[in-house]
């Protein structure tokens, strides 16, 4: 089937774990550089260390989506804390009929599928695990939030922003093509971007990408694609 052009518009970029306005997302310049270095090891599997439960983060809209023989899990995280947090661990359990656990990210998953890189104070972000490894139908899921690291107060903000170029889709899957602009003053690497497609306020598709390199301010935006699990036709795209 020939991919069809769906829609064009502004999106919100999630820089690892940032949910922000359509124009920018914030971290500190020093933290952004460190995140980039740490994200280079995204292919290395690890065991999750959850720590104490973080009750300052509210979990909502936990939604498994399927398509094209794949399953992904989308979740919205809202911080009630007055401090920005980094490297917030997330324990995912996807269940099927009878509450049987079909998948967990507790071990064997890459680090970006076990944590939110950045969660701003009093802000929300979407996070996606696009590697839910199960052949059975997922009927439910839970996400437990552990303790992350606090960012220092008053740190200078840096900015990344993204716009959607277009969304192409066919049966069971869609691909978001977007542009990432870097106004941090420094080149960024390994920037995770999580995408959800919302229709009637509900998640109908989800996916993620890691932008390998985003040059510093003054250069052209970096183009990248986010493959979605599910059908995003007619949906609002949020990154």
């Amino acid at each position: 089937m020939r991919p069809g052009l769906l829609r064009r518009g502004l999106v919100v970029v999630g820089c690892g774990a940032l949910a922000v306005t359509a124009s920018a997302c914030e971290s500190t310049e020093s933290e952004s550089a460190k995140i980039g270095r740490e994200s280079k090891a995204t292919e290395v599997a690890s065991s999750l260390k959850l720590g104490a439960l973080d009750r300052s983060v509210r979990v909502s809209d936990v939604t498994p989506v399927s398509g094209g023989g794949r399953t992904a899990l989308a979740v919205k995280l809202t911080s009630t804390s007055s401090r920005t947090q980094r490297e917030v661990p997330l324990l995912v359990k996807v269940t099927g009929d009878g509450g049987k656990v079909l998948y967990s990210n507790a071990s064997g998953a890459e680090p970006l599928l076990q944590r939110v890189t950045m969660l701003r104070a009093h802000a929300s972000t979407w996070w996606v695990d696009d590697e839910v490894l199960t052949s059975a139908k997922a009927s439910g899921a839970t996400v437990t939030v552990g303790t992350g690291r606090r960012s220092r107060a008053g740190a200078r903000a840096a900015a990344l922003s993204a716009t959607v170029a277009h969304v192409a889709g066919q049966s069971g899957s869609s691909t978001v093509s977007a542009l990432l602009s870097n106004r941090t003053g420094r080149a960024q690497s390994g920037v995770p971007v999580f995408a959800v497609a919302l229709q009637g306020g509900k998640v109908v598709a989800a996916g993620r990408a890691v932008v390998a390199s985003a040059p510093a301010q003054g250069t052209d935006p970096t183009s990248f694609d986010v493959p979605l699990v599910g059908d995003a036709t007619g949906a609002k795209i949020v990154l």
Side-chain angles (χ1 to χ4, degrees), residues 148-224:
R149 306 173 190 170
R150 288 188 175 185
S151 293
R152 69 182 188 273
R156 188 167 53 155
L160 295 167
S161 62
T163 55
V164 167
H166 66 272
V167 183
Q170 52 188 344
S171 180
S173 64
S174 302
T175 299
V176 178
S177 295
L179 298 173
L180 178 65
S181 298
N182 176 10
R183 297 190 297 275
T184 66
R186 297 183 182 182
Q188 303 293 314
S189 61
V191 180
V193 181
F194 302 95
V196 296
L198 300 174
Q199 200 164 51
K202 296 183 178 180
V203 178
V204 294
R208 68 174 182 124
V210 178
V211 182
S213 178
Q217 184 176 5
T219 59
D220 292 334
T222 302
S223 60
F224 65 99

